[in-house]
Amino acid sequence: MNSLSDEFLMAEALDDKLDGLGELFERYNVNLFNFFLRLSHDHDLSHDLTQNVFFRLLKYRKSYKRGSRFKPWIYQMARNIYYDHYRKHVEKRDEFVNVSGLAEAWSDEEDLLKREQIHLLEKAMSLLSIEKREVLIMSRYQGMKYEEVAEVLDCTVSAVKVKVHRAMKELKELYFKQV
Amino acid sequence: MGDCFEVKDYLTSYLEGSLTKEEEKKVEEHLEDCPSCEEECKQMRKLLGLMGSAPKILPDDSIRFSFEQLLNEEKTKISLERKKEKRGAIVRTLWPKNGQQWAASVAMLILGLGLGYYVSKPALESTLSEVEALRREMTEMKEMMMLTKLNQPLASDRLQAVSYTYSMEEGNTEVIEALINTLNNDGNENVRMAAVDALAHFSNDQRAREALLYALKQQDDPAIQIAIIDALVKIREKKALPQMQKLLKEKELHEVVRNKVKDGISSLI
């Protein structure tokens, strides 16, 4: 099963052969959890939202179009889930996210300097708008191709390049302002 | 590309290595001449490196457990739906072509019973026991169809009823009693003959064997007598020998039956 493509496993699921979905869970649960974690900086919420993605994957699998790419599809779902939650809870959202706890977890470095740098990076990330943050999370932290990000955001590849560039520029300023 | 502004726009792509060789060369030339852009490039490289090296956090196992649980529930749901479709197909197969009202009601009743049965069943069940349950239900369904049809006025209906029993692996008391009753009392000889074959099919049942022995004494239609003798020989019923000897002494016995009895005796001895 390891060598089968995401798209093949999903096509099987369309025919009600669900064994491949367990494999897709293994392939994506860590990345999706970290996607939510970097967006929300909330451990429990990220758990709930990740669970929600796989719940929808199972219940709404028939909405997957045979032959289309799986990764952008599931990230689009994840992104919708996050925005739904964000809209509902926007008034409750803490303006100043506490990143120190997560930065600890993100940095298992012995090297104190690097640890501090990662801490500062997370702080700078948390100051970016969600739109800028999600572009960087997908393209930089999760190593997605620009074509894939473009599909998730439903825009052109060159638009993604511009978004990444702008987000990086702002992040750089925020980061080095702290140093 | 001597313009700082332009070069800054290319820096991310440059560091990702997504520029063409030509563009790359131009950026590098500019960076050598421009300390400000060179500094910016260094910072950018550092950030990208940091982002790439940030470790991933593993979620708790609880999300895997709850997903597996959901997945299993969904799989069970699918297999139950398939079973339901299969049941529908069985009902359609057994549905009489003339669409008589009684047949419809019997089938609906059984379908209702079947649905009620599976709804009350525990969610998880091995496929094997599901197949077993399905087979049992199918047999029950056939039994009910058979018992109902056996009381129909048309001989062809009763014949069909008897023929249902051939596909039953074992008959229950009701089925066997119904067959015995048919063999002894049915007015149509073809139906009685079919009942003989059906009873021979259930030769594991003592009542079926005894019914055949009894019928050998009672039946006087040559065709049925022949069928009974064939059946008794087939099930190796030695208890039939005294009655067969007695038959040979009867003067009025049909010649064909007489020969059949002789053959039967020699193969049973």
Short mmCIF file of all heavy atoms in Angstrom, two decimals, chain A residues 42-102:
data_model
loop_
_atom_site.label_atom_id
_atom_site.label_comp_id
_atom_site.label_asym_id
_atom_site.label_seq_id
_atom_site.Cartn_x
_atom_site.Cartn_y
_atom_site.Cartn_z
N ASP A 42 -2.60 26.74 18.92
CA ASP A 42 -3.46 26.15 19.96
C ASP A 42 -3.46 24.63 19.79
O ASP A 42 -3.98 24.11 18.81
CB ASP A 42 -4.88 26.72 19.80
CG ASP A 42 -5.82 26.22 20.90
OD1 ASP A 42 -5.64 25.09 21.38
OD2 ASP A 42 -6.73 26.98 21.25
N HIS A 43 -2.86 23.97 20.75
CA HIS A 43 -2.66 22.53 20.67
C HIS A 43 -3.97 21.75 20.61
O HIS A 43 -4.19 20.93 19.72
CB HIS A 43 -1.82 22.08 21.87
CG HIS A 43 -1.28 20.70 21.76
ND1 HIS A 43 -1.99 19.59 22.15
CD2 HIS A 43 -0.09 20.24 21.29
CE1 HIS A 43 -1.26 18.51 21.93
NE2 HIS A 43 -0.11 18.87 21.40
N ASP A 44 -4.87 22.03 21.55
CA ASP A 44 -6.13 21.28 21.61
C ASP A 44 -7.01 21.56 20.40
O ASP A 44 -7.61 20.65 19.83
CB ASP A 44 -6.90 21.64 22.89
CG ASP A 44 -6.19 21.10 24.13
OD1 ASP A 44 -5.29 20.23 23.95
OD2 ASP A 44 -6.51 21.54 25.24
N LEU A 45 -7.05 22.83 20.04
CA LEU A 45 -7.85 23.19 18.86
C LEU A 45 -7.32 22.47 17.61
O LEU A 45 -8.09 21.94 16.81
CB LEU A 45 -7.79 24.72 18.65
CG LEU A 45 -8.49 25.21 17.39
CD1 LEU A 45 -9.99 24.99 17.48
CD2 LEU A 45 -8.19 26.70 17.15
N SER A 46 -5.99 22.42 17.49
CA SER A 46 -5.40 21.76 16.33
C SER A 46 -5.76 20.28 16.28
O SER A 46 -5.96 19.71 15.21
CB SER A 46 -3.88 21.92 16.34
OG SER A 46 -3.56 23.29 16.31
N HIS A 47 -5.84 19.70 17.45
CA HIS A 47 -6.29 18.31 17.52
C HIS A 47 -7.70 18.15 16.98
O HIS A 47 -7.97 17.31 16.14
CB HIS A 47 -6.30 17.83 18.98
CG HIS A 47 -5.18 16.90 19.27
ND1 HIS A 47 -4.49 16.92 20.44
CD2 HIS A 47 -4.61 15.93 18.53
CE1 HIS A 47 -3.55 16.01 20.42
NE2 HIS A 47 -3.60 15.40 19.26
N ASP A 48 -8.58 19.00 17.48
CA ASP A 48 -9.98 18.93 17.07
C ASP A 48 -10.11 19.14 15.57
O ASP A 48 -10.85 18.43 14.89
CB ASP A 48 -10.82 19.99 17.80
CG ASP A 48 -10.96 19.65 19.28
OD1 ASP A 48 -10.58 18.52 19.65
OD2 ASP A 48 -11.44 20.52 20.03
N LEU A 49 -9.39 20.14 15.07
CA LEU A 49 -9.53 20.47 13.66
C LEU A 49 -8.96 19.36 12.77
O LEU A 49 -9.52 19.04 11.72
CB LEU A 49 -8.86 21.81 13.34
CG LEU A 49 -9.47 23.03 14.05
CD1 LEU A 49 -8.76 24.32 13.63
CD2 LEU A 49 -10.96 23.16 13.78
N THR A 50 -7.86 18.75 13.21
CA THR A 50 -7.27 17.65 12.43
C THR A 50 -8.27 16.49 12.36
O THR A 50 -8.50 15.90 11.30
CB THR A 50 -5.97 17.16 13.08
OG1 THR A 50 -5.11 18.27 13.27
CG2 THR A 50 -5.27 16.13 12.21
N GLN A 51 -8.87 16.21 13.51
CA GLN A 51 -9.86 15.14 13.57
C GLN A 51 -11.03 15.44 12.62
O GLN A 51 -11.52 14.57 11.93
CB GLN A 51 -10.40 15.08 14.99
CG GLN A 51 -10.58 13.68 15.49
CD GLN A 51 -10.44 13.63 16.99
OE1 GLN A 51 -10.92 14.51 17.69
NE2 GLN A 51 -9.80 12.61 17.48
N ASN A 52 -11.40 16.70 12.62
CA ASN A 52 -12.48 17.17 11.78
C ASN A 52 -12.18 16.94 10.29
O ASN A 52 -13.05 16.53 9.52
CB ASN A 52 -12.66 18.67 12.05
CG ASN A 52 -14.08 19.09 11.85
OD1 ASN A 52 -14.82 18.42 11.15
ND2 ASN A 52 -14.44 20.21 12.43
N VAL A 53 -10.92 17.18 9.89
CA VAL A 53 -10.54 16.98 8.49
C VAL A 53 -10.78 15.53 8.09
O VAL A 53 -11.39 15.24 7.05
CB VAL A 53 -9.06 17.32 8.24
CG1 VAL A 53 -8.65 16.93 6.82
CG2 VAL A 53 -8.80 18.80 8.46
N PHE A 54 -10.33 14.60 8.94
CA PHE A 54 -10.45 13.19 8.58
C PHE A 54 -11.89 12.70 8.68
O PHE A 54 -12.30 11.80 7.94
CB PHE A 54 -9.49 12.34 9.41
CG PHE A 54 -8.07 12.54 8.98
CD1 PHE A 54 -7.22 13.34 9.72
CD2 PHE A 54 -7.61 12.00 7.80
CE1 PHE A 54 -5.91 13.57 9.30
CE2 PHE A 54 -6.32 12.22 7.36
CZ PHE A 54 -5.47 13.00 8.11
N PHE A 55 -12.64 13.33 9.56
CA PHE A 55 -14.07 13.02 9.62
C PHE A 55 -14.74 13.41 8.30
O PHE A 55 -15.47 12.63 7.71
CB PHE A 55 -14.69 13.79 10.79
CG PHE A 55 -16.19 13.67 10.86
CD1 PHE A 55 -16.78 12.53 11.38
CD2 PHE A 55 -17.00 14.70 10.42
CE1 PHE A 55 -18.16 12.42 11.44
CE2 PHE A 55 -18.37 14.60 10.47
CZ PHE A 55 -18.96 13.45 10.99
N ARG A 56 -14.39 14.62 7.83
CA ARG A 56 -14.99 15.06 6.56
C ARG A 56 -14.49 14.23 5.39
O ARG A 56 -15.25 13.93 4.46
CB ARG A 56 -14.65 16.53 6.29
CG ARG A 56 -15.45 17.46 7.16
CD ARG A 56 -15.53 18.83 6.53
NE ARG A 56 -15.91 19.80 7.53
CZ ARG A 56 -15.96 21.11 7.30
NH1 ARG A 56 -15.62 21.60 6.13
NH2 ARG A 56 -16.34 21.93 8.26
N LEU A 57 -13.21 13.87 5.44
CA LEU A 57 -12.65 13.03 4.38
C LEU A 57 -13.49 11.76 4.22
O LEU A 57 -13.81 11.32 3.11
CB LEU A 57 -11.20 12.67 4.72
CG LEU A 57 -10.54 11.58 3.88
CD1 LEU A 57 -10.32 12.05 2.46
CD2 LEU A 57 -9.21 11.17 4.50
N LEU A 58 -13.86 11.19 5.36
CA LEU A 58 -14.62 9.95 5.36
C LEU A 58 -16.06 10.18 4.89
O LEU A 58 -16.56 9.49 4.01
CB LEU A 58 -14.61 9.38 6.79
CG LEU A 58 -15.03 7.95 6.99
CD1 LEU A 58 -14.15 7.03 6.17
CD2 LEU A 58 -14.89 7.59 8.47
N LYS A 59 -16.70 11.20 5.46
CA LYS A 59 -18.12 11.42 5.19
C LYS A 59 -18.36 12.00 3.79
O LYS A 59 -19.36 11.71 3.17
CB LYS A 59 -18.72 12.36 6.24
CG LYS A 59 -18.78 11.77 7.63
CD LYS A 59 -19.78 10.62 7.72
CE LYS A 59 -19.56 9.85 9.02
NZ LYS A 59 -20.18 8.55 9.03
N TYR A 60 -17.45 12.86 3.37
CA TYR A 60 -17.68 13.55 2.10
C TYR A 60 -16.71 13.06 1.02
O TYR A 60 -16.38 13.80 0.10
CB TYR A 60 -17.57 15.06 2.29
CG TYR A 60 -18.52 15.58 3.34
CD1 TYR A 60 -18.04 16.23 4.47
CD2 TYR A 60 -19.89 15.38 3.22
CE1 TYR A 60 -18.92 16.67 5.47
CE2 TYR A 60 -20.77 15.82 4.19
CZ TYR A 60 -20.28 16.47 5.31
OH TYR A 60 -21.14 16.90 6.28
N ARG A 61 -16.25 11.83 1.16
CA ARG A 61 -15.27 11.32 0.19
C ARG A 61 -15.81 11.36 -1.24
O ARG A 61 -15.07 11.50 -2.19
CB ARG A 61 -14.84 9.90 0.56
CG ARG A 61 -15.98 8.90 0.62
CD ARG A 61 -15.47 7.52 1.01
NE ARG A 61 -16.54 6.55 1.00
CZ ARG A 61 -17.38 6.35 2.00
NH1 ARG A 61 -17.28 7.05 3.11
NH2 ARG A 61 -18.33 5.43 1.91
N LYS A 62 -17.14 11.23 -1.37
CA LYS A 62 -17.72 11.20 -2.72
C LYS A 62 -17.58 12.55 -3.43
O LYS A 62 -17.84 12.64 -4.62
CB LYS A 62 -19.20 10.81 -2.66
CG LYS A 62 -19.48 9.52 -1.90
CD LYS A 62 -19.40 8.29 -2.79
CE LYS A 62 -19.49 7.04 -1.93
NZ LYS A 62 -19.57 5.80 -2.59
N SER A 63 -17.24 13.59 -2.67
CA SER A 63 -17.09 14.89 -3.33
C SER A 63 -15.69 15.03 -3.95
O SER A 63 -15.41 16.01 -4.63
CB SER A 63 -17.33 16.02 -2.33
OG SER A 63 -16.28 16.07 -1.39
N TYR A 64 -14.83 14.06 -3.68
CA TYR A 64 -13.51 14.07 -4.33
C TYR A 64 -13.69 13.70 -5.80
O TYR A 64 -14.40 12.75 -6.13
CB TYR A 64 -12.58 13.07 -3.65
CG TYR A 64 -11.29 12.82 -4.39
CD1 TYR A 64 -10.24 13.73 -4.32
CD2 TYR A 64 -11.12 11.68 -5.18
CE1 TYR A 64 -9.05 13.51 -5.00
CE2 TYR A 64 -9.94 11.45 -5.87
CZ TYR A 64 -8.91 12.37 -5.77
OH TYR A 64 -7.76 12.15 -6.46
N LYS A 65 -13.05 14.50 -6.69
CA LYS A 65 -13.19 14.21 -8.12
C LYS A 65 -12.10 13.25 -8.55
O LYS A 65 -10.91 13.53 -8.38
CB LYS A 65 -13.10 15.50 -8.94
CG LYS A 65 -14.48 15.99 -9.37
CD LYS A 65 -14.36 17.11 -10.38
CE LYS A 65 -14.77 18.44 -9.79
NZ LYS A 65 -13.99 19.57 -10.17
N ARG A 66 -12.53 12.13 -9.09
CA ARG A 66 -11.60 11.11 -9.57
C ARG A 66 -10.56 11.75 -10.50
O ARG A 66 -10.91 12.48 -11.41
CB ARG A 66 -12.38 10.05 -10.35
CG ARG A 66 -11.89 8.64 -10.19
CD ARG A 66 -12.79 7.71 -10.96
NE ARG A 66 -14.00 7.35 -10.21
CZ ARG A 66 -14.08 6.27 -9.43
NH1 ARG A 66 -13.06 5.45 -9.32
NH2 ARG A 66 -15.20 6.00 -8.79
N GLY A 67 -9.29 11.48 -10.21
CA GLY A 67 -8.24 11.98 -11.10
C GLY A 67 -7.66 13.32 -10.67
O GLY A 67 -6.61 13.71 -11.15
N SER A 68 -8.36 14.03 -9.77
CA SER A 68 -7.79 15.31 -9.33
C SER A 68 -6.76 15.05 -8.23
O SER A 68 -6.75 13.99 -7.61
CB SER A 68 -8.89 16.24 -8.83
OG SER A 68 -9.53 15.68 -7.71
N ARG A 69 -5.89 16.06 -8.00
CA ARG A 69 -4.82 15.85 -7.02
C ARG A 69 -5.37 15.85 -5.60
O ARG A 69 -6.18 16.71 -5.24
CB ARG A 69 -3.74 16.90 -7.19
CG ARG A 69 -2.78 16.53 -8.32
CD ARG A 69 -1.55 17.35 -8.26
NE ARG A 69 -1.81 18.68 -8.79
CZ ARG A 69 -0.84 19.53 -9.11
NH1 ARG A 69 0.42 19.19 -8.95
NH2 ARG A 69 -1.14 20.72 -9.59
N PHE A 70 -4.89 14.89 -4.82
CA PHE A 70 -5.44 14.71 -3.48
C PHE A 70 -4.95 15.76 -2.49
O PHE A 70 -5.72 16.32 -1.71
CB PHE A 70 -5.09 13.31 -2.96
CG PHE A 70 -5.52 13.09 -1.53
CD1 PHE A 70 -6.85 12.91 -1.21
CD2 PHE A 70 -4.58 13.09 -0.51
CE1 PHE A 70 -7.25 12.72 0.11
CE2 PHE A 70 -4.98 12.90 0.81
CZ PHE A 70 -6.31 12.72 1.12
N LYS A 71 -3.65 16.03 -2.53
CA LYS A 71 -3.06 16.91 -1.51
C LYS A 71 -3.72 18.30 -1.49
O LYS A 71 -4.15 18.75 -0.42
CB LYS A 71 -1.55 17.04 -1.78
CG LYS A 71 -0.75 17.52 -0.58
CD LYS A 71 0.70 17.64 -0.99
CE LYS A 71 1.62 17.65 0.20
NZ LYS A 71 3.03 17.69 -0.23
N PRO A 72 -3.85 18.97 -2.65
CA PRO A 72 -4.54 20.27 -2.61
C PRO A 72 -5.97 20.14 -2.12
O PRO A 72 -6.49 21.01 -1.41
CB PRO A 72 -4.52 20.72 -4.07
CG PRO A 72 -3.40 19.99 -4.68
CD PRO A 72 -3.35 18.67 -3.99
N TRP A 73 -6.60 19.02 -2.46
CA TRP A 73 -8.00 18.82 -2.04
C TRP A 73 -8.12 18.76 -0.52
O TRP A 73 -8.96 19.42 0.08
CB TRP A 73 -8.53 17.52 -2.67
CG TRP A 73 -9.97 17.23 -2.39
CD1 TRP A 73 -11.05 17.87 -2.91
CD2 TRP A 73 -10.49 16.21 -1.53
NE1 TRP A 73 -12.22 17.33 -2.43
CE2 TRP A 73 -11.90 16.30 -1.58
CE3 TRP A 73 -9.91 15.23 -0.72
CZ2 TRP A 73 -12.74 15.45 -0.85
CZ3 TRP A 73 -10.74 14.39 0.00
CH2 TRP A 73 -12.13 14.50 -0.07
N ILE A 74 -7.24 17.98 0.11
CA ILE A 74 -7.37 17.83 1.56
C ILE A 74 -6.92 19.11 2.29
O ILE A 74 -7.49 19.48 3.32
CB ILE A 74 -6.64 16.56 2.09
CG1 ILE A 74 -7.16 16.24 3.49
CG2 ILE A 74 -5.13 16.74 2.11
CD1 ILE A 74 -6.74 14.88 4.00
N TYR A 75 -5.95 19.82 1.70
CA TYR A 75 -5.53 21.08 2.33
C TYR A 75 -6.61 22.14 2.18
O TYR A 75 -6.79 22.99 3.07
CB TYR A 75 -4.20 21.57 1.74
CG TYR A 75 -3.01 21.05 2.51
CD1 TYR A 75 -2.45 19.82 2.21
CD2 TYR A 75 -2.46 21.78 3.56
CE1 TYR A 75 -1.39 19.32 2.93
CE2 TYR A 75 -1.38 21.30 4.29
CZ TYR A 75 -0.85 20.07 3.97
OH TYR A 75 0.20 19.57 4.69
N GLN A 76 -7.32 22.09 1.06
CA GLN A 76 -8.42 23.03 0.88
C GLN A 76 -9.49 22.78 1.95
O GLN A 76 -10.02 23.72 2.54
CB GLN A 76 -9.03 22.81 -0.52
CG GLN A 76 -9.55 24.07 -1.15
CD GLN A 76 -9.75 23.90 -2.64
OE1 GLN A 76 -10.21 22.84 -3.08
NE2 GLN A 76 -9.40 24.90 -3.41
N MET A 77 -9.73 21.51 2.21
CA MET A 77 -10.70 21.14 3.23
C MET A 77 -10.22 21.64 4.59
O MET A 77 -10.99 22.22 5.37
CB MET A 77 -10.84 19.61 3.23
CG MET A 77 -12.15 19.11 3.73
SD MET A 77 -12.58 17.55 2.93
CE MET A 77 -11.36 16.44 3.56
N ALA A 78 -8.94 21.42 4.87
CA ALA A 78 -8.36 21.84 6.15
C ALA A 78 -8.48 23.35 6.31
O ALA A 78 -8.84 23.86 7.37
CB ALA A 78 -6.90 21.41 6.23
N ARG A 79 -8.18 24.04 5.22
CA ARG A 79 -8.22 25.49 5.25
C ARG A 79 -9.65 25.98 5.49
O ARG A 79 -9.87 26.89 6.31
CB ARG A 79 -7.72 26.00 3.91
CG ARG A 79 -7.47 27.46 3.85
CD ARG A 79 -6.78 27.80 2.56
NE ARG A 79 -6.74 29.24 2.39
CZ ARG A 79 -7.61 29.92 1.67
NH1 ARG A 79 -8.58 29.29 1.03
NH2 ARG A 79 -7.49 31.23 1.57
N ASN A 80 -10.62 25.36 4.83
CA ASN A 80 -12.02 25.74 5.06
C ASN A 80 -12.42 25.51 6.51
O ASN A 80 -13.12 26.33 7.11
CB ASN A 80 -12.95 24.92 4.16
CG ASN A 80 -12.84 25.35 2.71
OD1 ASN A 80 -12.38 26.46 2.43
ND2 ASN A 80 -13.21 24.46 1.81
N ILE A 81 -11.97 24.39 7.05
CA ILE A 81 -12.30 24.08 8.44
C ILE A 81 -11.72 25.14 9.37
O ILE A 81 -12.38 25.61 10.30
CB ILE A 81 -11.79 22.66 8.81
CG1 ILE A 81 -12.69 21.61 8.16
CG2 ILE A 81 -11.73 22.46 10.31
CD1 ILE A 81 -12.18 20.19 8.28
N TYR A 82 -10.50 25.54 9.09
CA TYR A 82 -9.87 26.55 9.95
C TYR A 82 -10.60 27.89 9.84
O TYR A 82 -10.90 28.53 10.85
CB TYR A 82 -8.39 26.74 9.59
CG TYR A 82 -7.76 27.75 10.52
CD1 TYR A 82 -7.44 27.39 11.83
CD2 TYR A 82 -7.54 29.07 10.13
CE1 TYR A 82 -6.91 28.31 12.72
CE2 TYR A 82 -7.00 30.00 11.01
CZ TYR A 82 -6.69 29.61 12.29
OH TYR A 82 -6.18 30.52 13.18
N TYR A 83 -10.93 28.28 8.61
CA TYR A 83 -11.60 29.57 8.43
C TYR A 83 -13.00 29.57 9.04
O TYR A 83 -13.45 30.58 9.59
CB TYR A 83 -11.63 29.98 6.95
CG TYR A 83 -10.33 30.63 6.53
CD1 TYR A 83 -9.28 29.89 6.03
CD2 TYR A 83 -10.15 32.00 6.70
CE1 TYR A 83 -8.08 30.49 5.68
CE2 TYR A 83 -8.96 32.62 6.36
CZ TYR A 83 -7.92 31.86 5.85
OH TYR A 83 -6.75 32.45 5.52
N ASP A 84 -13.69 28.43 8.92
CA ASP A 84 -15.01 28.32 9.57
C ASP A 84 -14.88 28.56 11.06
O ASP A 84 -15.64 29.31 11.66
CB ASP A 84 -15.60 26.91 9.35
CG ASP A 84 -16.20 26.78 7.97
OD1 ASP A 84 -16.30 27.81 7.28
OD2 ASP A 84 -16.54 25.64 7.58
N HIS A 85 -13.90 27.90 11.64
CA HIS A 85 -13.69 28.03 13.07
C HIS A 85 -13.31 29.47 13.42
O HIS A 85 -13.82 30.05 14.37
CB HIS A 85 -12.59 27.08 13.53
CG HIS A 85 -12.22 27.30 14.97
ND1 HIS A 85 -12.90 26.69 16.00
CD2 HIS A 85 -11.29 28.10 15.54
CE1 HIS A 85 -12.38 27.10 17.14
NE2 HIS A 85 -11.41 27.94 16.90
N TYR A 86 -12.42 30.02 12.63
CA TYR A 86 -11.90 31.36 12.88
C TYR A 86 -13.02 32.40 12.83
O TYR A 86 -13.11 33.28 13.67
CB TYR A 86 -10.84 31.66 11.82
CG TYR A 86 -10.17 32.99 11.97
CD1 TYR A 86 -9.32 33.24 13.04
CD2 TYR A 86 -10.38 34.00 11.03
CE1 TYR A 86 -8.70 34.48 13.18
CE2 TYR A 86 -9.76 35.23 11.15
CZ TYR A 86 -8.93 35.45 12.23
OH TYR A 86 -8.31 36.67 12.36
N ARG A 87 -13.92 32.24 11.81
CA ARG A 87 -15.04 33.17 11.70
C ARG A 87 -15.95 33.09 12.91
O ARG A 87 -16.41 34.10 13.42
CB ARG A 87 -15.85 32.84 10.43
CG ARG A 87 -15.54 33.76 9.26
CD ARG A 87 -16.59 33.63 8.18
NE ARG A 87 -16.64 32.30 7.60
CZ ARG A 87 -15.81 31.90 6.63
NH1 ARG A 87 -14.90 32.71 6.15
NH2 ARG A 87 -15.89 30.69 6.13
N LYS A 88 -16.20 31.86 13.36
CA LYS A 88 -17.10 31.68 14.50
C LYS A 88 -16.51 32.24 15.79
O LYS A 88 -17.23 32.65 16.68
CB LYS A 88 -17.41 30.19 14.69
CG LYS A 88 -18.59 29.72 13.85
CD LYS A 88 -18.87 28.25 14.11
CE LYS A 88 -19.17 27.52 12.82
NZ LYS A 88 -18.84 26.10 12.90
N HIS A 89 -15.21 32.19 15.89
CA HIS A 89 -14.58 32.52 17.17
C HIS A 89 -13.73 33.77 17.10
O HIS A 89 -12.91 34.02 17.97
CB HIS A 89 -13.72 31.35 17.67
CG HIS A 89 -14.53 30.13 17.92
ND1 HIS A 89 -14.80 29.21 16.94
CD2 HIS A 89 -15.17 29.69 19.03
CE1 HIS A 89 -15.55 28.24 17.45
NE2 HIS A 89 -15.79 28.52 18.71
N VAL A 90 -13.95 34.56 16.06
CA VAL A 90 -13.06 35.69 15.85
C VAL A 90 -13.09 36.68 17.02
O VAL A 90 -12.06 37.23 17.40
CB VAL A 90 -13.35 36.39 14.50
CG1 VAL A 90 -14.67 37.16 14.56
CG2 VAL A 90 -12.22 37.31 14.09
N GLU A 91 -14.27 36.82 17.63
CA GLU A 91 -14.35 37.79 18.72
C GLU A 91 -13.63 37.29 19.98
O GLU A 91 -13.16 38.06 20.79
CB GLU A 91 -15.82 38.16 19.02
CG GLU A 91 -16.68 37.06 19.62
CD GLU A 91 -17.14 36.04 18.58
OE1 GLU A 91 -16.83 36.24 17.37
OE2 GLU A 91 -17.78 35.06 18.96
N LYS A 92 -13.60 35.93 20.08
CA LYS A 92 -12.97 35.37 21.29
C LYS A 92 -11.45 35.23 21.13
O LYS A 92 -10.75 34.94 22.08
CB LYS A 92 -13.53 33.96 21.56
CG LYS A 92 -14.94 33.97 22.12
CD LYS A 92 -15.30 32.56 22.54
CE LYS A 92 -16.77 32.29 22.28
NZ LYS A 92 -17.03 30.88 22.11
N ARG A 93 -10.98 35.42 19.90
CA ARG A 93 -9.59 35.10 19.63
C ARG A 93 -8.64 36.05 20.38
O ARG A 93 -8.82 37.26 20.37
CB ARG A 93 -9.32 35.19 18.13
CG ARG A 93 -8.03 34.52 17.74
CD ARG A 93 -7.91 34.44 16.23
NE ARG A 93 -6.52 34.23 15.87
CZ ARG A 93 -5.68 35.20 15.62
NH1 ARG A 93 -6.07 36.46 15.65
NH2 ARG A 93 -4.42 34.93 15.30
N ASP A 94 -7.69 35.44 21.00
CA ASP A 94 -6.69 36.20 21.75
C ASP A 94 -5.77 36.91 20.75
O ASP A 94 -5.17 36.28 19.89
CB ASP A 94 -5.88 35.23 22.62
CG ASP A 94 -5.14 35.96 23.70
OD1 ASP A 94 -5.05 37.20 23.60
OD2 ASP A 94 -4.66 35.29 24.62
N GLU A 95 -5.71 38.21 20.86
CA GLU A 95 -4.88 38.95 19.92
C GLU A 95 -3.40 38.60 20.06
O GLU A 95 -2.66 38.54 19.10
CB GLU A 95 -5.08 40.46 20.12
CG GLU A 95 -6.36 40.99 19.52
CD GLU A 95 -6.42 40.77 18.01
OE1 GLU A 95 -5.41 41.02 17.32
OE2 GLU A 95 -7.48 40.33 17.53
N PHE A 96 -3.01 38.40 21.29
CA PHE A 96 -1.59 38.11 21.50
C PHE A 96 -1.42 36.62 21.79
O PHE A 96 -1.65 36.16 22.90
CB PHE A 96 -1.06 38.95 22.66
CG PHE A 96 -1.25 40.41 22.43
CD1 PHE A 96 -2.33 41.09 22.98
CD2 PHE A 96 -0.37 41.11 21.61
CE1 PHE A 96 -2.52 42.43 22.74
CE2 PHE A 96 -0.56 42.46 21.37
CZ PHE A 96 -1.65 43.13 21.93
N VAL A 97 -1.06 35.89 20.75
CA VAL A 97 -0.90 34.45 20.94
C VAL A 97 0.36 34.19 21.76
O VAL A 97 1.41 34.79 21.52
CB VAL A 97 -0.79 33.69 19.60
CG1 VAL A 97 -2.01 32.87 19.38
CG2 VAL A 97 -0.52 34.64 18.47
N ASN A 98 0.19 33.29 22.68
CA ASN A 98 1.35 32.92 23.48
C ASN A 98 2.13 31.83 22.76
O ASN A 98 1.67 30.70 22.66
CB ASN A 98 0.87 32.42 24.85
CG ASN A 98 2.01 31.90 25.68
OD1 ASN A 98 3.17 32.24 25.43
ND2 ASN A 98 1.69 31.08 26.66
N VAL A 99 3.25 32.19 22.24
CA VAL A 99 4.01 31.23 21.44
C VAL A 99 5.10 30.53 22.22
O VAL A 99 5.69 29.58 21.74
CB VAL A 99 4.65 31.89 20.19
CG1 VAL A 99 3.57 32.38 19.26
CG2 VAL A 99 5.59 32.99 20.58
N SER A 100 5.37 31.02 23.44
CA SER A 100 6.56 30.50 24.12
C SER A 100 6.45 29.00 24.38
O SER A 100 7.40 28.27 24.17
CB SER A 100 6.78 31.25 25.42
OG SER A 100 5.60 31.24 26.17
N GLY A 101 5.25 28.54 24.79
CA GLY A 101 5.10 27.12 25.08
C GLY A 101 5.35 26.26 23.86
O GLY A 101 6.06 25.26 23.92
N LEU A 102 4.79 26.69 22.74
CA LEU A 102 4.95 25.91 21.53
C LEU A 102 6.38 26.01 20.99
O LEU A 102 6.91 25.04 20.47
CB LEU A 102 3.96 26.38 20.46
CG LEU A 102 2.55 25.89 20.70
CD1 LEU A 102 1.59 26.54 19.72
CD2 LEU A 102 2.50 24.38 20.55
#
